[in-house]
Structures are given as C-alpha cells and as structure tokens.
Amino acid sequence: MDLKGWMASWPVYRQLTGADRLGRGRAAQSDRSRDLHARTTTADRWAPSVCPYCAVGCGQRVYVRDEQVVQIEGDPDSPVSRGRLCPKGSASTQLVTGPQRLRKVRYRAPYATEWTELDLDTAMEMIADRVVDARARGWQDTDADGRPLRRTMGLAALGGAALDNEENYLLKKLFTSWGAVQIENQARI
Ligand code: SF4
C-alpha cells in the first residue's frame, strides 16, 4: 500500500480531506460496512403478501432467491401501511425460515403422553370428521314448544385479534353455514 492509500485508511484523514467533514458518513465507514448490501438487491423476484401477525394487515413484499425466501420488507404500495412494518412484522422472515418452525402436523391423541406426526390429508380428514360429529350431536331442530331452531350448539368460534376483517368475514360465513350461533371475536369481548 502506498503512502496515500495508507493515509486514506485513516477515518480522520478521510474526514479532513473528503466531503464528509463531520465524520458521520463515508469517512467513518469501515471496509466491512462498505461491502455490505441488502438481501433484497440480490433477490430474483418478490411477491406481495400480508403480515400474519395482527389485524392491522400491513402489506409485505416477500423477496425470493433460488426459490427460497431471503427477506420480507414493507410494501410501499399498501394503502394500509405504506411501506412500514413494526418490529414484529419486520422479523417475519424468521417465521418462514426459522429452524424451530414446525413443518409437519403434530398430534397428541387423547390420554397420550407423546406427540406423533400426521400427514396433512389425514389431519384434515380428522378435523372434518370431528366438525361433522360435533355439529350433529349438538343439533337442535326445534325448541320444547316445537318452534324451529335449526341450529347446533356443538360448535362455537372464538377469533383472535390476529384475524383481519376478511378472515373474520369468512369465519362468520363458514360457522353460520354450519348452523353455529356462538361466533365471537376477542376484539369485541
Ligand atoms: S404485526 Fe406489525 S407489521 Fe404486522 S400487521 Fe401488525 S402492525 Fe403491521
């Protein structure tokens, strides 16, 4: 390294001789910082999405490289959030890529002490069977005086504050179509 290059490796030299006279920008930047780049710049593409964490429903851009999610950022085109994400939403990449994420259905049978793994089709069939059974066992066709009820008391829905308007709309439609009358949301309680 020549003398000039050696001098330029000093932040104070760069501060005194360059444009960054306050030493808050490039003059104070290390080689490592200069070589860093955002994961979004090397992504192949991005797909629009919605943050899953709360009912605000902030818009997200999911960046993908080699068919793997590499970063999730706020979507500036979202009328809800205009590019912003709270700290939780900003960390949602970890929800997708975190090593602790469960990727198989876990099932603990009644009285069992251990979890077992199920394939998704089996789990969905089991849920459907239970819904049909609970609906039938709780069904009330008429009251004691013969007036029509046509409802089930065997099913109820309690939504959480992570559900947004559209999800609550669909839940209400679904449970009402099954004849359930006990349909609530945490946000209303
Ligand atoms: S958790 Fe944060 S980023 Fe996600 S929808 Fe709610 S406010 Fe938006």
Side-chain angles (χ1 to χ4, degrees), residues 20 22-29:
D20 180 19
L22 294 176
R24 293 176 175 170
R26 293 210 169 270
Q29 196 175 40

mmCIF file of all heavy atoms in Angstrom, residues 20 22-29:
data_model
loop_
_atom_site.group_PDB
_atom_site.id
_atom_site.type_symbol
_atom_site.label_atom_id
_atom_site.label_comp_id
_atom_site.label_asym_id
_atom_site.label_seq_id
_atom_site.Cartn_x
_atom_site.Cartn_y
_atom_site.Cartn_z
ATOM 1 N N ASP A 20 -17.037 14.462 3.655
ATOM 2 C CA ASP A 20 -17.744 14.147 4.906
ATOM 3 C C ASP A 20 -17.015 14.790 6.088
ATOM 4 O O ASP A 20 -16.380 14.108 6.887
ATOM 5 C CB ASP A 20 -17.824 12.616 5.045
ATOM 6 C CG ASP A 20 -18.551 12.197 6.315
ATOM 7 O OD1 ASP A 20 -19.288 13.023 6.893
ATOM 8 O OD2 ASP A 20 -18.362 11.035 6.723
ATOM 9 N N LEU A 22 -17.997 16.119 8.827
ATOM 10 C CA LEU A 22 -18.467 15.810 10.184
ATOM 11 C C LEU A 22 -18.151 14.365 10.586
ATOM 12 O O LEU A 22 -18.370 13.976 11.728
ATOM 13 C CB LEU A 22 -19.976 16.062 10.298
ATOM 14 C CG LEU A 22 -20.407 17.529 10.155
ATOM 15 C CD1 LEU A 22 -21.914 17.645 10.198
ATOM 16 C CD2 LEU A 22 -19.778 18.374 11.270
ATOM 17 N N GLY A 23 -17.662 13.583 9.680
ATOM 18 C CA GLY A 23 -17.276 12.214 10.015
ATOM 19 C C GLY A 23 -18.430 11.324 10.406
ATOM 20 O O GLY A 23 -18.287 10.429 11.231
ATOM 21 N N ARG A 24 -19.576 11.587 9.813
ATOM 22 C CA ARG A 24 -20.755 10.784 10.149
ATOM 23 C C ARG A 24 -21.179 9.871 8.996
ATOM 24 O O ARG A 24 -22.174 9.182 9.100
ATOM 25 C CB ARG A 24 -21.925 11.690 10.496
ATOM 26 C CG ARG A 24 -21.708 12.452 11.770
ATOM 27 C CD ARG A 24 -22.857 13.398 11.994
ATOM 28 N NE ARG A 24 -22.754 14.063 13.266
ATOM 29 C CZ ARG A 24 -23.515 15.084 13.635
ATOM 30 N NH1 ARG A 24 -24.439 15.531 12.810
ATOM 31 N NH2 ARG A 24 -23.367 15.642 14.813
ATOM 32 N N GLY A 25 -20.467 9.934 7.912
ATOM 33 C CA GLY A 25 -20.875 9.156 6.742
ATOM 34 C C GLY A 25 -19.735 8.297 6.234
ATOM 35 O O GLY A 25 -19.171 7.490 6.975
ATOM 36 N N ARG A 26 -19.370 8.531 4.970
ATOM 37 C CA ARG A 26 -18.373 7.674 4.318
ATOM 38 C C ARG A 26 -17.019 7.722 5.012
ATOM 39 O O ARG A 26 -16.277 6.742 5.002
ATOM 40 C CB ARG A 26 -18.223 8.080 2.860
ATOM 41 C CG ARG A 26 -19.468 7.790 2.038
ATOM 42 C CD ARG A 26 -19.117 7.500 0.597
ATOM 43 N NE ARG A 26 -20.263 6.980 -0.109
ATOM 44 C CZ ARG A 26 -20.551 5.696 -0.193
ATOM 45 N NH1 ARG A 26 -19.775 4.810 0.370
ATOM 46 N NH2 ARG A 26 -21.625 5.282 -0.844
ATOM 47 N N ALA A 27 -16.674 8.867 5.599
ATOM 48 C CA ALA A 27 -15.357 8.985 6.241
ATOM 49 C C ALA A 27 -15.204 7.980 7.385
ATOM 50 O O ALA A 27 -14.111 7.482 7.651
ATOM 51 C CB ALA A 27 -15.147 10.407 6.753
ATOM 52 N N ALA A 28 -16.310 7.694 8.063
ATOM 53 C CA ALA A 28 -16.234 6.805 9.224
ATOM 54 C C ALA A 28 -16.581 5.360 8.862
ATOM 55 O O ALA A 28 -16.583 4.479 9.728
ATOM 56 C CB ALA A 28 -17.194 7.301 10.311
ATOM 57 N N GLN A 29 -16.830 5.109 7.591
ATOM 58 C CA GLN A 29 -17.308 3.787 7.178
ATOM 59 C C GLN A 29 -16.143 2.793 7.092
ATOM 60 O O GLN A 29 -15.102 3.092 6.504
ATOM 61 C CB GLN A 29 -17.983 3.900 5.816
ATOM 62 C CG GLN A 29 -18.835 2.725 5.448
ATOM 63 C CD GLN A 29 -19.566 2.988 4.140
ATOM 64 O OE1 GLN A 29 -18.992 3.557 3.201
ATOM 65 N NE2 GLN A 29 -20.809 2.590 4.091
#
